[in-house]
Amino acid sequence: MRISVVIPVRDDAAPLERCLTALREQTRAPDEVIVVDNASSDASAAIAMSGGARVVRCMEIGIPPAAAAGYDAAVGDLILRLDADCVPPPTWVRDAETQFLRSPDLLSATGPARFTDGPRALRWTSAVYLGGYGLAAGAALGHRPLFGSNLAMRTDAWRSVRSEVHRHHTETHDDLDLSYHLGGLGRPGRLRGAPMGISMRPLWPGRGFRRRVRRGFDTVVLHWPDDFPPWRWRRLRARRFAD
């Protein structure tokens, strides 16, 4: 199985360097690492190239177009996605490969995470942060949502939904949007293995956190009325019984 790792980045050179170092220390090296430079004004692209990554340029600013550009460029059989401020555990690539090889019907999966920065006394709140996202998004979707900082999907699955995702809606919550489309093909699984190291930045006070919440709500409403929860749940349940 060939594995592509995709990292969207915009002006995050220092965290990106740490992320790439962790990827080089994997027990199973990815076959390619794609860094999508989303119109950065810092040294992100230079750091990516010096770290052995393939740089893909995306001048349309926003995570949805940048992530989609990386998925489109991937040549592997399996795409792994994380963010520039992530620190993957050493067995992340190997664990994902093993799980997808053993589960040929699995199309996508997402895994746990832990905070690696911020006050130590508050790092346990990663469970609250991800648990809240899982409950809220899961209620809308009818299944587990994908989490963009620790995500895996088969490349063929991406290609089947690439024209349906809202890649040009720059205020869309991209991993939630992807959950709607991939979840229609098959229930996302749970990635096994150690948690992904992530930054506490999403919880910092200010406009950033409010913007994430608004993006999530807007993404849910964007899929109505076809994916209004009771209707979506009924459709997915009927599909599972048919299979």
Side-chain angles (χ1 to χ4, degrees):
M1 176 177 282
R2 298 170 301 164
I3 298 179
S4 301
V5 173
V6 172
I7 312 171
V9 62
R10 175 172 167 78
D11 295 335
D12 235 355
L16 176 62
E17 186 170 21
R18 186 172 65 246
C19 178
L20 293 173
T21 298
L23 286 173
R24 289 194 296 271
E25 295 172 351
Q26 292 289 300
T27 57
R28 193 286 198 201
D31 295 284
E32 66 170 352
V33 176
I34 300 171
V35 171
V36 184
D37 178 21
N38 195 204
S40 295
S41 59
D42 69 356
S44 293
I47 291 294
M49 288 185 284
S50 66
R54 175 159 66 100
V55 176
V56 171
R57 310 280 182 176
C58 177
M59 301 308 293
E60 183 181 359
I61 296 174
I63 299 175
Y71 304 152
D72 284 343
V75 299
D77 306 297
L78 182 67
I79 297 173
L80 302 184
R81 152 81 186 279
L82 75 170
D83 293 316
D85 58 5
C86 291
V87 181
T91 60
W92 182 57
V93 175
R94 185 195 67 192
D95 290 341
E97 179 184 42
T98 299
Q99 185 171 349
F100 276 79
L101 285 173
R102 290 177 177 174
S103 305
D105 294 332
L106 182 64
L107 300 181
S108 64
T110 198
R114 61 181 181 85
F115 288 136
T116 57
D117 60 10
R120 287 188 177 276
L122 295 178
R123 293 185 185 178
W124 62 271
T125 57
S126 60
V128 178
Y129 173 59
L130 293 177
Y133 170 61
L135 288 173
L141 292 165
H143 54 73
R144 177 183 291 113
L146 297 170
F147 176 50
S149 294
N150 191 2
L151 182 157
M153 62 180 167
R154 295 189 189 273
T155 306
D156 287 345
W158 162 251
R159 290 172 179 163
S160 68
V161 302
R162 61 191 289 184
S163 62
E164 301 171 8
V165 299
H166 298 82
R167 66 170 73 201
H168 300 299
H169 289 235
T170 56
E171 288 300 305
T172 295
H173 197 304
D174 71 298
D175 40 4
L176 180 54
D177 181 52
L178 188 60
S179 301
Y180 271 102
H181 298 286
L182 287 180
L185 302 179
R187 293 174 67 88
R190 180 176 176 83
L191 278 178
R192 304 186 185 97
M196 174 69 68
I198 62 172
S199 174
M200 196 180 282
R201 290 188 297 181
L203 296 185
W204 289 353
R207 296 172 56 192
F209 181 71
R210 294 196 299 271
R211 188 179 186 185
R212 286 173 180 266
V213 173
R214 187 183 69 249
R215 282 176 172 175
F217 179 78
D218 290 348
T219 302
V220 170
V221 174
L222 181 64
H223 291 84
W224 290 357
D226 290 344
D227 282 308
F228 188 67
W231 301 344
R232 178 179 174 86
W233 302 341
R234 189 180 305 115
R235 186 171 68 249
L236 294 179
R237 186 167 57 249
R239 182 171 298 171
R240 286 197 293 272
F241 287 148
D243 294 341

